[in-house]
Amino acid sequence: MKKEKIPLSEYPRPQLKRDSYMTLNGLWEYAITSQEAFPHSFMGNVLVPFSIETQKEINHILQPNEFLYYRKSFKLDKDFNRGKVFLNFTAVDQIAKVWINNRYLGEHIGGFLPFSFDITKYIKENNVIIVQVKDVTDTSYYQRGKQKLHHGGIWYTPQSGIYLPVWLESTPKKYVHSLRLVPDIDNNIINIKINSDDTYDAKIILNNQTIDVKTNVNNKIKIDNVHLWDVNDPYLYEFDVLLGEDKISSYFGMRKISMKKDEKGINRIYLNNKPIFMSGVLDQGYYEQTLLTPKSDEDYINDIKLIKNLGFNCIRKHIKIETLRWYYYCDKLGVLVWQDFVNGGTKYKLSTISFPLITNIHLKDNKYSLFSRKDEIGRKYFIRDAIDTVSYLFNNPSIVLWTIFNEGWGQFDAEELTSIIKGIDNTRLIDHASGWHDQKVSDVKSSHVYFKKYKLPKLEDNRAIVLSEFGGYSLPIEGHMQNEKTFGYKSFKDKNELTNAIVNLYDEQILPNIKKGLCASIYTQLSDVEEEINGLITFDRKIIKVNEKDIQDMNKRLYSEVNDEHI
């Protein structure tokens, strides 16, 4: 009998890759209880890393007063332990407590970022992991993204527990903790910092040369005949790091993103010191049946290739953090990424969110009650997660912009947040308030326009102009919709009608504004998601709803407005 492949078992960190790796994806036991105490028995099996809400045999949305327990038994080969063993979770939604072999390891709060435990002291030949999960979804101040218990419209089915890969890794006692990679194309230098627990001698093998370096300091490495990374030629430099017995493989891209004035005094966005118009799509990273979890790497690859094939050069990853493998494919295939932070806060006030739409007045975001941010601990968690998001994704060349807040959802102190993020990453652009409640800080003035004709805002001295959401045109396709109830901003009858409407929207409202100062546009959206049917492709990814050649030609016309051969 053919052994079934374990889902999503590829090595999770392409820029910090070792050969001492073991996936823990696969079948785990689970139990759902109303008591915090360990369950007396388990209810069955759940396939990790897919959440319980996506598995038909379970068919349960975890409630805020419930606890979800996982149990996994596994055997470890004697030669696996090279000195240290780490248990790694890519994401568990929302509050997780972890035990191994009856030893409590700790707690992690937050559903979108990875966490790890050093289990060296507790590991045996035969081992048992227990994970307890509590998920309050949108009933408290934690970051939850687009999940909502009473979902519908632009809010989606909540998910709980383990929904991205779990894995073990062993390292020597002296090992590379992380890397910080900063390209400097103006001086033909890659800055490589090897983070470890102390300062050691190490080696970098790059371009068939062995370079002696130190850990915990910035190593400036000159690169001859630099091969730049861009959207049409996403060249990646591969290299190895040797620290004692530890060896890791990694890569970087030599690219630069910046904002400056052109010869007419208009602020433009530049890739590798050349002006670029970024034409992108909103991508929420949801998949039919498995929702926040891809079924395989092919889900990632196919989506990115479709976006590129339609002529777009940019993806706005909307209110979700993907696995590092998604960003690897963006790096490898050549697409620019705008990365949103995951929003949170208590119940959003419709009046606050809608106020700028009706009045064009933007509120100061230190009014915590209006923005559902009265809880100080919730604000602190958001700042922590924002910093951790930048740290987690810092090395990916495809990421060129951070979006801190979207449409006022749990927004607060955006000016301070912008300063914090700039302090830890001054190599990328920042959009502090995508849509509205503009505090007039960061690198871009960012608008959302759905129900009226787009008019270019007044040009500003210190910010570039971007249209960070628009479109949202819908096409219902029988047999490819998940719900009878549907949502979209403007509906069309067939593929040709939808395509013509999108092309006319671009030709009449986007194209004329590029010469005047528009630097980017993000179309809503890549795929249908549950009730939302405003995607360029159906939720099941089986039908492309637009004529590809027409969209390709449309994008070519946009790029021709900017005089650069690489666009």
Side-chain angles (χ1 to χ4, degrees):
M1 187 175 184
K2 186 178 179 182
K3 189 177 180 181
E4 191 170 343
K5 184 179 183 295
I6 296 174
L8 299 171
S9 58
E10 295 83 1
Y11 191 89
R13 287 190 313 224
Q15 285 181 296
L16 198 72
K17 187 174 182 179
R18 294 183 176 90
D19 57 8
S20 51
Y21 159 71
M22 175 179 168
T23 183
L24 292 178
N25 294 347
L27 293 178
W28 292 48
E29 296 173 282
Y30 83 95
I32 299 167
T33 77
S34 58
Q35 304 296 322
E36 188 171 2
F38 282 10
H40 296 298
S41 61
F42 285 76
M43 302 165 68
N45 290 326
V46 58
L47 181 60
V48 167
F50 303 103
S51 70
I52 60 167
E53 288 84 357
T54 67
Q55 303 195 31
K56 292 180 180 179
E57 61 272 20
I58 300 173
N59 192 28
H60 182 83
I61 293 176
L62 194 70
Q63 298 300 302
N65 63 342
E66 294 179 321
F67 294 88
L68 167 64
Y69 279 89
Y70 292 87
R71 184 168 65 186
K72 175 73 171 180
S73 301
F74 67 94
K75 187 174 182 178
L76 202 63
D77 293 339
K78 291 180 180 179
D79 59 355
F80 182 81
N81 187 352
R82 301 169 58 197
K84 285 182 171 290
V85 178
F86 295 92
L87 171 61
N88 303 291
F89 294 86
T90 309
V92 181
D93 196 2
Q94 183 175 55
I95 303 167
K97 293 182 178 180
V98 184
W99 292 260
I100 188 163
N101 300 330
N102 296 318
R103 299 297 188 103
Y104 178 62
L105 298 176
E107 178 184 60
H108 181 265
I109 297 174
F112 289 82
L113 287 165
F115 58 98
S116 300
F117 298 105
D118 183 344
I119 59 174
T120 311
K121 292 188 296 184
Y122 313 123
I123 206 76
K124 303 175 183 178
E125 183 178 357
N126 295 294
N127 303 274
V128 178
I129 299 171
I130 292 178
V131 180
Q132 179 207 81
V133 173
K134 188 173 179 62
D135 189 356
V136 298
T137 310
D138 58 328
T139 65
S140 188
Y141 46 70
Y142 300 109
Q143 279 56 264
R144 78 273 188 168
K146 300 292 288 288
Q147 302 175 85
K148 197 171 182 180
L149 284 170
H150 301 288
H151 49 283
I154 67 167
W155 308 104
Y156 312 135
T157 301
Q159 294 178 255
S160 305
I162 301 168
Y163 71 95
L164 289 175
V166 187
W167 50 291
L168 294 176
E169 184 170 46
S170 185
T171 71
K173 292 181 179 178
K174 182 172 73 175
Y175 69 101
V176 176
H177 293 193
S178 62
L179 299 174
R180 184 177 172 92
L181 310 173
V182 184
D184 178 1
I185 70 166
D186 296 326
N187 295 295
N188 298 334
I189 285 172
I190 179 66
N191 296 277
I192 301 179
K193 185 180 180 184
I194 305 165
N195 296 309
S196 191
D197 61 355
D198 204 345
T199 301
Y200 301 112
D201 293 327
K203 296 182 185 296
I204 291 174
I205 302 174
L206 172 64
N207 289 339
N208 296 317
Q209 293 184 319
T210 301
I211 305 160
D212 293 323
V213 295
K214 297 280 189 182
T215 62
N216 294 340
V217 300
N218 182 43
N219 300 284
K220 292 179 177 288
I221 299 174
K222 193 82 171 179
I223 298 181
D224 296 328
N225 303 314
V226 169
H227 193 153
L228 296 178
W229 182 99
D230 71 22
V231 293
N232 288 330
D233 184 14
Y235 184 82
L236 298 174
Y237 285 87
E238 296 181 352
F239 70 100
D240 294 330
V241 176
L242 305 178
L243 174 58
E245 296 179 355
D246 196 20
K247 178 181 178 181
I248 63 167
S249 299
S250 189
Y251 70 87
F252 60 85
M254 293 295 289
R255 71 99 183 91
K256 173 184 177 183
I257 195 74
S258 58
M259 189 273 291
K260 63 181 180 179
K261 295 184 187 301
D262 64 13
E263 66 279 359
K264 296 179 181 178
I266 298 174
N267 287 321
R268 300 286 185 187
I269 294 174
Y270 289 75
L271 177 64
N272 299 335
N273 297 321
K274 296 179 180 179
I276 183 169
F277 183 81
M278 290 192 273
S279 178
V281 293
L282 194 80
D283 175 14
Q284 308 202 63
Y286 275 80
Y287 301 92
E288 188 190 43
Q289 298 177 345
T290 56
L291 300 181
L292 286 169
T293 313
K295 300 176 189 69
S296 70
D297 273 17
E298 291 304 308
D299 281 349
Y300 284 161
I301 295 167
N302 292 339
D303 280 357
I304 296 166
K305 283 186 174 180
L306 172 63
I307 290 166
K308 290 273 292 182
N309 187 55
L310 290 172
F312 296 100
N313 62 12
C314 180
I315 298 171
R316 180 180 171 194
K317 179 54 68 172
H318 191 44
I319 321 292
K320 183 194 178 188
I321 298 167
E322 296 286 2
T323 72
L324 289 173
R325 295 194 66 80
W326 183 82
Y327 300 94
Y328 164 66
Y329 291 119
C330 291
D331 296 341
K332 185 178 180 180
L333 297 173
V335 64
L336 304 171
V337 174
W338 295 12
Q339 177 62 50
D340 289 10
F341 295 166
V342 178
N343 293 160
T346 52
K347 185 178 179 180
Y348 301 147
K349 293 179 169 61
L350 182 62
S351 57
T352 302
I353 293 172
S354 303
F355 194 67
L357 282 172
I358 300 166
T359 66
N360 203 32
I361 296 172
H362 296 248
L363 302 175
K364 293 296 292 181
D365 61 11
N366 60 359
K367 303 178 188 298
Y368 298 149
S369 179
L370 288 176
F371 285 89
S372 308
R373 278 296 189 184
K374 287 177 66 177
D375 297 275
E376 182 180 3
I377 189 170
R379 300 196 300 272
K380 287 181 177 178
Y381 278 143
F382 182 86
I383 295 170
R384 177 204 67 179
D385 287 351
I387 293 169
D388 288 349
T389 298
V390 174
S391 176
Y392 179 48
L393 302 177
F394 183 86
N395 293 328
N396 292 98
S398 55
I399 299 176
V400 295
L401 181 145
W402 305 112
T403 300
I404 300 178
F405 294 111
N406 182 75
E407 294 186 351
W409 301 345
Q411 182 173 327
F412 69 97
D413 299 338
E415 184 172 3
E416 179 187 347
L417 263 293
T418 299
S419 179
I420 289 172
I421 300 306
K422 277 292 184 186
I424 59 177
D425 183 9
N426 63 1
T427 70
R428 292 180 172 92
L429 306 178
I430 293 179
D431 180 357
H432 75 292
S434 183
W436 37 81
H437 294 301
D438 182 10
Q439 308 300 297
K440 301 186 183 301
V441 297
S442 76
D443 300 298
V444 298
K445 178 176 177 58
S446 176
S447 302
H448 294 183
V449 176
Y450 286 112
F451 303 108
K452 58 185 178 181
K453 184 176 180 179
Y454 175 69
K455 293 183 180 179
L456 191 75
K458 183 180 178 182
L459 299 183
E460 299 188 7
D461 187 51
N462 296 318
R463 295 196 291 173
I465 305 296
V466 302
L467 179 57
S468 49
E469 283 188 34
F470 77 108
Y473 288 175
S474 299
L475 175 60
I477 296 183
E478 198 67 37
H480 298 273
M481 296 183 292
Q482 193 176 59
N483 302 72
E484 289 185 12
K485 185 179 179 182
T486 60
F487 174 88
Y489 298 114
K490 191 175 182 180
S491 187
F492 296 88
K493 295 178 181 179
D494 58 41
K495 186 175 188 175
N496 289 332
E497 192 178 82
L498 175 64
T499 303
N500 291 337
I502 292 173
V503 171
N504 289 338
L505 177 64
Y506 273 87
D507 285 346
E508 294 173 7
Q509 298 184 36
I510 305 303
L511 189 66
N513 283 304
I514 295 175
K515 290 289 190 186
K516 297 175 184 177
L518 183 62
C519 295
S521 63
I522 304 293
Y523 182 82
T524 303
Q525 62 180 327
L526 168 63
S527 76
D528 295 349
V529 183
E530 297 193 331
E531 288 183 10
E532 275 195 272
I533 57 166
N534 50 14
L536 298 171
I537 192 170
T538 53
F539 198 18
D540 58 15
R541 304 307 202 271
K542 291 183 178 178
I543 296 181
I544 299 172
K545 298 196 209 177
V546 292
N547 296 316
E548 296 175 65
K549 180 67 165 54
D550 292 339
I551 303 299
Q552 292 167 0
D553 291 343
M554 173 197 80
N555 274 311
K556 288 176 183 177
R557 290 194 291 276
L558 301 182
Y559 303 143
S560 69
E561 290 294 290
V562 182
N563 185 22
D564 181 70
E565 61 182 356
H566 293 284
I567 296 175

